[in-house]
Amino acid sequence: MYKHIALNAGLLLVAVSSWAQSPPAAPAAPVVASTNQGGPAPTSLAEMEAYIRSQSVGGELDFTKILASKKQTTFLYGGQMLDKKELAMYMWGAKVKELGVATAQQAQVLYEDIIKKRLTESEKKSLESSFEVTAE
């Protein structure tokens, strides 16, 4: 089963397909291809990290802010009930993985440094889950 979460024009899209699909090809290098806003894409690991740091609070990677306007308080995803914070953490993890962060542990260290606090156990689980999504 292939699971994908995308954020387009402020709308949360969740697609789940049971059709067998081959896994996506691994990127040649961990760099950003583009941003949601069409701005210049970071081309090095340092630029990628700077982009993530600058956009994670109040920017286009701040999924907590994006989800705040939703009336829905819980979301069913992958057979799990997630609250807004957990879903935001999942979406952030999926995006930074796409941008080139290699592991959930690296993403956790980066996020905790950005927000200056430790993640809760449920947030860690959501972040780890975002790095485990693959085609089955």
Side-chain angles (χ1 to χ4, degrees), residues 92-115:
W92 184 87
K95 185 62 178 178
V96 299
K97 178 184 177 188
E98 178 185 313
L99 293 173
V101 175
T103 68
Q105 292 75 24
Q106 290 173 338
Q108 179 182 341
V109 168
L110 178 60
Y111 193 78
E112 288 176 342
D113 187 51
I114 292 168
I115 65 168

Side-chain angles (χ1 to χ4, degrees), residues 1-4 15-25 77 90 97 129-136:
M1 183 184 302
Y2 182 77
K3 301 172 188 172
H4 180 73
V16 178
S17 172
S18 60
W19 293 97
Q21 299 179 13
S22 59
Y77 183 77
Y90 182 93
K97 178 184 177 188
S129 294
S130 69
F131 275 79
E132 295 170 356
V133 174
T134 59
E136 295 176 358

Side-chain angles (χ1 to χ4, degrees), residues 4-14 35-37 59-67 69-70 87-88 91-92 94-95 98:
H4 180 73
I5 292 182
L7 194 61
N8 293 327
L11 298 175
L12 176 64
L13 304 173
V14 179
T35 67
N36 287 342
Q37 302 299 321
E60 59 186 52
L61 298 179
D62 190 347
F63 296 105
T64 302
K65 178 181 166 190
I66 294 166
L67 291 172
S69 65
K70 304 293 181 197
L87 182 58
M91 294 170 70
W92 184 87
K95 185 62 178 178
E98 178 185 313

